[in-house]
Amino acid sequence: QKVEDPTVESVSNVPDPIALQEIEFKNVCFSYSDDGPDVLKNVSFKLKKGDRLALVGTTGSGKSTIIRLLAKTYTGYRGSIKINGTELSEIPIAQVRETISVMHQEIFMFNDTVEFNIALGRKNISQTDVEQAASFVYASRFIDQLPGGYRFVIQDNGDNLSKGQAQLISFARAIAGNSELIILDEATSAVDSITEQYIQQAIANIFSTKTVIAVAHRLSTIRNSDLILVLEDGQIIERGTHTELLEHGGKYARLLHQIEAEHKQN
Ligand code: ATP
Ligand code: MG
């Protein structure tokens, strides 16, 4: 067992995370190419520490693009994105990475141990942190049953895990970093009903302790959010709580019926 020298860590040049207070998008427009169409059009919203924000909308409406901009996966937006009043373009990407943890729609697994896939070589994450994170998101039960447990070697693309197990590991990965803001681009792949319950409980646990932006497909995730933004063709067309938007009887209400119908099929 290799033990890291704590003095090494303290002099390394990993920037401190931002103590998150507020995120604000103001009239954000974005195009993936110089001559391409805007896929985000005047997107504005505000998020405070502890808030849970859900992004919903049909495929291609711009949900993932919003979080790619916030995570600085893409730059070159117009308008303004501020974290605690500082323009995102002024914040180094290394500091953004320390502050925000992103669970992408496409789950990536390394051909390495479960432990590595959760810690990802981040120096400040101990084995205990890995196990605590796994337990917090209900991944520890299935990990304990793998041959070798945390030393079980995952194949490329997570081929020797179920889709649901890979999701739970990616949750543990996001939580282990102890970031202030968790971004969850919820995967749509169907999982068995027991794993589905674990996933929903894991999301509920994350919601109870973190500031979260979730691209949400699950009814439970959407319902538990403080604010829902409904996107269509790069624009926010409705915003409010679940109850407010249902009463409004617009696009959200229609989307929800669709989601409910899909649930009944499964
Ligand atoms: P889904 O629910 O299918 O994940 P989404 O709401 O996340 O959809 P985005 O991925 O944000 O949608 O895409 C918004 C628009 O931007 C779409 O028209 C899409 O085709 C386009 N787009 C997304 N990624 C790229 C890219 N890398 N290059 C060019 N266009 C892109
Ligand atoms: Mg998406």
Side-chain angles (χ1 to χ4, degrees), residues 151-214:
R151 306 214 162 267
F152 176 79
V153 175
I154 298 173
Q155 289 168 4
D156 277 329
N157 306 320
D159 283 346
N160 55 349
L161 295 176
S162 74
K163 289 264 188 312
Q165 289 170 339
Q167 280 188 48
L168 292 174
I169 286 186
S170 80
F171 286 2
R173 178 189 289 169
I175 282 296
N178 216 13
S179 310
E180 296 242 6
L181 175 67
I182 303 286
I183 294 180
L184 165 62
D185 202 342
E186 215 168 52
T188 44
S189 54
V191 300
D192 66 85
S193 62
I194 293 183
T195 310
E196 176 61 29
Q197 282 172 34
Y198 286 147
I199 288 173
Q200 290 194 16
Q201 193 56 51
I203 293 171
N205 278 356
I206 295 169
F207 268 37
S208 69
T209 52
K210 301 280 183 183
T211 308
V212 186
I213 300 178

Side-chain angles (χ1 to χ4, degrees), residues 41 161 200 217 239:
K41 300 160 193 164
L161 295 176
Q200 290 194 16
H217 302 287
R239 67 178 77 208

Side-chain angles (χ1 to χ4, degrees), residues 32-33 39-40 57-66 68 74 105 185 215 217:
Y32 280 97
S33 61
V39 296
L40 292 184
T58 47
T59 180
S61 57
K63 307 178 296 290
S64 296
T65 304
I66 289 179
R68 287 183 201 123
Y74 284 87
Q105 211 168 353
D185 202 342
V215 173
H217 302 287

